[in-house]
Amino acid sequence: MDLHCPILPTDNDTVRLGHGSGGAMTQRLLTDYIQPLFNNTWISQAHDSATLPWNTDRLVFTTDSFVVTPLFFPGGNIGELAVYGTVNDLAMAGAEPKFLSCGLILEEGLPMVTLKRVLQSMAKAAQSTGVMLVTGDTKVVERGKGDGIYINTSGVGQQISQWPIEPGRICRGDVILLSGDIGRHGIAVMASREGLEFESNLTSDCAPLNRAVAELIQAGVEIHCLRDLTRGGLATALVELAESCGKTFSLDESRIPVSEAVEGACEILGLDPLYVANEGRFVAFVPESSSKLATSILRGTVAGSLCEIIGRVGDGDHPQVALKNSLGCDRLLQRLPGEQLPRIC
Amino acid sequence: MDLHCPILPTDNDTVRLGHGSGGAMTQRLLTDYIQPLFNNTWISQAHDSATLPWNTDRLVFTTDSFVVTPLFFPGGNIGELAVYGTVNDLAMAGAEPKFLSCGLILEEGLPMVTLKRVLQSMAKAAQSTGVMLVTGDTKVVERGKGDGIYINTSGVGQQISQWPIEPGRICRGDVILLSGDIGRHGIAVMASREGLEFESNLTSDCAPLNRAVAELIQAGVEIHCLRDLTRGGLATALVELAESCGKTFSLDESRIPVSEAVEGACEILGLDPLYVANEGRFVAFVPESSSKLATSILRGTVAGSLCEIIGRVGDGDHPQVALKNSLGCDRLLQRLPGEQLPRIC
């Protein structure tokens, strides 16, 4: 499916911003450089987290570094993002987030008050999601070798779903739910970075997803797969999943919620909302029989109040994502090829 | 005991290189900024890792970011360091390292061959220590916002010692073992960074410590506490431990192994080897009755072949570390006050 990856990394090449896009170039880095070296079940699965055996239990382990710029943006900051991002990766594997680590890389000259504000946000975010930050590390680099604060968080969670929640369980006929409107995080960060002002007060969708997932599990919804939409947006996430499970997804563009503000900003900036980053949105694959229950539960949660059924898993054996637009035409989606908005998370 | 911390962080202050030294300024950052916000047993303990309840089991969780410059130095590189550093933190809690995460922050323009070499070293180091790298993340920052490669590794291990190995278990009369000669990592990195040439081929001590610890545990040595010597060197590690357990340590300077090369380099550079960083050395606190067995086991391992008994835990209730020099005079050690060699790991 990587039809449109014009820039392949080779040994003569250098790292480019697109390698951090979460799209096709990141994927190539993973398949060409990392997977051959770290050859184990979990790295090969290329999930956002690893579900590991731990005696009779299942432990979920994940990591993410956060390099967003600016550090503070409408609706959030790097501290919240660092907690929610990792909590969400655990939740997407059907795990209850339990423990978090925090690795800080600070740039010399960063005002202490900035650090304090970021740490306060992390503490508040950790408390609100019920995860405990239990271990950490701080490094400082010289001026001009960093950009204020970079944060790595890694997380450990305990699988609470009775079955694994993973791309391999996606079935023909599954309904695809989207938890809310897309593109707000990417546009909010970009607007803040570029000093753009839009009519409405557009804020990031940055939010924790673990409560919504826990409610689905507790209600007995048979979740086949979950994926949060981050770098690369809805389109990239769905293409990745279609490739992982080898199935065809059909989406109805008119059912995908996009706020007027995001729509307008995307038009001005020449962006496609389907590829714009989110930090508090996810897709869920559930059997038809559970879709009504799942939708009604999600609509009752903060994170899923705008939940919509946006498509279905079709009968085709070809891994592809087809989007039907308002004219009834199908457009095949691809991963984000290069970089759209660098340092969005 | 923080008698000599001339620079205290205040809200009007900015982050300085010393905040990443592992010494007194790092400690202040922890006690003044981080511990009040993340108020739980594990953060309060200020260990290098957290030992967490997991059903009937004990799970050990730790994190470290690596920003060493240059990326390649005599005896190692950032990739090995990133694996061994986290593996060692797990080992120091009496845990068998099981799973590792890897968060890369790459600077735009980094040659792909450099990335490849670093990843190859990580893979080799992971294999040699028996740990599995199971999850990862890659971010790319613009030129001038990083320095080639920064790596975070977090680790999950399973406690294999029957009792906790922690500062609180240090007892009066305990013997203090040092696993080998000190200061090679710091001097090797500094020499390489500054283009200094010494007569001998001085290489970093960068090495995994988990096998040596596992051998001690399997032989039934009653280990009370372990600590690997990293930033801040032997002196800072021992002062931290003395403060944690509230006891007095007496060291015999003549028993502390320092290679001629390190001794000579330190004289030229005006450094004290007691404060120079190590990446493959640790101290062990064991009861007198176990000290002979522990020494003989360690001397049979690669990491502990130069093991020496360097001191004892005394009767005093005052948390201090007294070093008896060759003239028989006692000198009280303190934490490294500011920064000695930035970005050593």
Side-chain angles (χ1 to χ4, degrees):
Chain A
M1 271 295 287
D2 266 357
L3 304 172
H4 292 260
C5 176
I7 306 153
L8 304 182
T10 71
D11 282 354
N12 296 325
D13 212 343
T14 57
V15 169
R16 306 183 192 196
L17 287 173
H19 289 121
S21 67
M25 289 175 70
T26 308
Q27 171 68 7
R28 282 290 165 135
L29 197 62
L30 184 67
T31 53
D32 294 359
Y33 282 72
I34 295 176
Q35 284 175 342
L37 283 169
F38 302 96
N39 189 11
N40 61 57
T41 317
W42 299 281
I43 289 290
S44 308
Q45 282 171 339
H47 291 185
D48 288 339
S49 62
T51 299
L52 304 156
W54 194 272
N55 293 341
T56 56
D57 226 6
R58 295 272 154 188
L59 179 152
V60 181
F61 185 30
T62 190
T63 193
D64 248 328
S65 297
F66 297 85
V67 300
V68 66
T69 179
L71 299 175
F72 298 86
F73 48 82
N77 64 59
I78 192 172
E80 279 170 56
L81 210 58
V83 172
Y84 295 155
T86 292
V87 158
N88 291 349
D89 280 347
L90 295 174
M92 294 300 113
E96 184 194 346
K98 294 185 79 83
F99 306 115
L100 222 60
S101 68
C102 171
L104 298 172
I105 299 180
L106 308 178
E107 186 189 9
E108 183 187 18
L110 175 79
M112 277 290 179
V113 283
T114 306
L115 176 61
K116 198 171 182 174
R117 278 179 66 198
V118 169
L119 291 171
Q120 281 168 339
S121 288
M122 288 189 81
K124 209 171 147 190
Q127 197 166 29
S128 78
T129 53
V131 75
M132 258 199 293
L133 197 151
V134 294
T135 189
D137 172 63
T138 305
K139 295 290 189 302
V140 181
V141 295
E142 305 91 334
R143 268 174 219 270
K145 301 293 183 187
D147 197 10
I149 309 182
Y150 297 148
I151 304 178
N152 176 282
T153 52
S154 299
V156 172
Q158 190 164 23
Q159 188 180 299
I160 52 168
S161 63
Q162 285 185 291
W163 42 78
I165 292 180
E166 55 187 30
R169 294 195 64 245
I170 293 174
C171 295
R172 288 179 187 187
D174 274 0
V175 165
I176 306 172
L177 300 178
L178 170 62
S179 67
D181 63 317
I182 58 169
R184 284 206 280 115
H185 178 71
I187 297 297
V189 171
M190 188 174 215
S192 155
R193 196 185 298 171
E194 309 296 340
L196 304 177
E197 283 194 23
F198 298 112
E199 280 172 43
S200 58
N201 290 322
L202 186 69
T203 56
S204 165
D205 48 62
C206 173
L209 302 173
N210 57 319
R211 304 274 186 220
V213 172
E215 289 202 27
L216 289 175
I217 292 171
Q218 279 150 19
V221 172
E222 191 193 337
I223 308 169
H224 288 163
C225 187
L226 297 168
R227 179 65 57 98
D228 59 335
L229 313 178
T230 55
R231 293 178 287 178
L234 175 66
T236 304
L238 289 175
V239 171
E240 274 181 12
L241 291 176
E243 287 180 14
S244 293
C245 71
K247 296 198 165 53
T248 300
F249 304 163
S250 305
L251 307 181
D252 181 349
E253 190 167 27
S254 67
R255 307 296 300 272
I256 299 172
V258 185
S259 71
E260 266 184 52
V262 167
E263 193 82 58
C266 280
E267 266 172 36
I268 294 166
L269 299 165
L271 297 172
D272 183 342
L274 292 173
Y275 290 90
V276 177
N278 310 268
E279 284 294 335
R281 294 291 177 252
F282 68 102
V283 286
F285 289 73
V286 298
E288 170 78 54
S289 57
S290 292
S291 68
K292 216 167 157 181
L293 176 61
T295 312
S296 101
I297 289 170
L298 282 177
R299 287 194 179 147
T301 65
V302 179
S305 61
L306 300 176
C307 170
E308 288 291 342
I309 293 174
I310 61 162
R312 260 157 221 286
V313 180
D315 291 331
D317 272 336
H318 204 64
Q320 65 182 27
V321 182
L323 180 79
K324 196 176 289 299
N325 68 15
S326 54
L327 305 172
C329 302
D330 267 350
R331 162 187 162 204
L332 288 188
L333 299 183
Q334 291 138 15
R335 286 171 202 268
L336 181 66
E339 184 52 281
Q340 190 190 51
L341 302 169
R343 296 180 58 194
I344 206 71
C345 63
Chain B
M1 272 295 286
D2 266 357
L3 304 172
H4 293 260
C5 176
I7 307 155
L8 305 183
T10 71
D11 282 352
N12 296 324
D13 211 344
T14 57
V15 169
R16 305 182 192 200
L17 288 173
H19 289 121
S21 68
M25 288 176 70
T26 308
Q27 171 67 9
R28 281 290 164 133
L29 197 61
L30 184 66
T31 54
D32 294 358
Y33 282 72
I34 295 174
Q35 284 174 343
L37 283 170
F38 302 96
N39 188 13
N40 61 56
T41 316
W42 299 279
I43 289 290
S44 308
Q45 282 171 340
H47 290 184
D48 288 338
S49 62
T51 299
L52 304 156
W54 194 273
N55 293 343
T56 56
D57 226 6
R58 294 270 154 190
L59 179 152
V60 181
F61 186 30
T62 190
T63 193
D64 247 329
S65 297
F66 298 85
V67 299
V68 66
T69 176
L71 299 175
F72 298 85
F73 48 81
N77 64 59
I78 192 171
E80 279 170 57
L81 210 57
V83 172
Y84 295 155
T86 293
V87 159
N88 291 350
D89 281 345
L90 296 174
M92 294 300 113
E96 184 194 346
K98 295 186 77 85
F99 306 114
L100 222 59
S101 68
C102 170
L104 299 172
I105 299 179
L106 308 177
E107 186 190 10
E108 183 187 19
L110 175 80
M112 278 288 180
V113 282
T114 306
L115 176 61
K116 197 171 182 175
R117 278 179 67 197
V118 169
L119 291 172
Q120 281 168 339
S121 288
M122 289 190 81
K124 209 171 147 189
Q127 196 165 33
S128 78
T129 53
V131 75
M132 257 198 295
L133 197 151
V134 293
T135 188
D137 171 64
T138 305
K139 294 290 188 302
V140 181
V141 295
E142 305 90 334
R143 270 173 219 270
K145 301 291 183 187
D147 198 8
I149 308 182
Y150 297 149
I151 304 178
N152 176 282
T153 51
S154 300
V156 171
Q158 190 163 26
Q159 188 180 298
I160 52 168
S161 64
Q162 285 185 289
W163 41 80
I165 293 179
E166 55 186 31
R169 293 196 64 245
I170 294 175
C171 296
R172 288 180 187 187
D174 273 359
V175 165
I176 306 172
L177 300 177
L178 171 63
S179 67
D181 65 316
I182 58 168
R184 284 206 279 116
H185 177 71
I187 298 298
V189 171
M190 189 175 214
S192 156
R193 196 184 299 173
E194 308 295 341
L196 304 174
E197 282 193 24
F198 300 112
E199 280 173 44
S200 58
N201 289 323
L202 187 67
T203 55
S204 165
D205 47 63
C206 174
L209 303 173
N210 57 317
R211 305 274 186 219
V213 171
E215 288 203 28
L216 289 174
I217 292 170
Q218 279 150 18
V221 172
E222 191 192 335
I223 308 169
H224 287 164
C225 187
L226 297 168
R227 179 66 57 99
D228 58 336
L229 313 177
T230 54
R231 293 179 287 178
L234 176 66
T236 303
L238 289 175
V239 171
E240 273 180 14
L241 291 176
E243 287 180 13
S244 293
C245 71
K247 297 198 164 53
T248 301
F249 304 163
S250 305
L251 306 181
D252 182 348
E253 189 167 27
S254 68
R255 306 294 300 274
I256 298 173
V258 185
S259 71
E260 266 184 53
V262 168
E263 193 83 59
C266 280
E267 265 172 37
I268 294 166
L269 299 167
L271 297 172
D272 183 342
L274 293 173
Y275 289 91
V276 176
N278 310 267
E279 284 293 335
R281 296 291 179 250
F282 68 102
V283 286
F285 290 72
V286 299
E288 170 78 54
S289 57
S290 292
S291 69
K292 217 169 155 178
L293 175 62
T295 313
S296 101
I297 289 170
L298 282 178
R299 286 192 180 148
T301 65
V302 179
S305 61
L306 300 175
C307 170
E308 288 291 343
I309 293 174
I310 62 161
R312 259 157 221 286
V313 180
D315 291 331
D317 273 335
H318 204 66
Q320 64 182 27
V321 183
L323 180 80
K324 198 175 286 299
N325 69 13
S326 55
L327 304 170
C329 301
D330 268 349
R331 162 188 163 203
L332 289 188
L333 298 183
Q334 291 138 14
R335 285 170 203 269
L336 180 66
E339 185 53 279
Q340 191 188 50
L341 302 170
R343 296 181 55 193
I344 207 70
C345 63

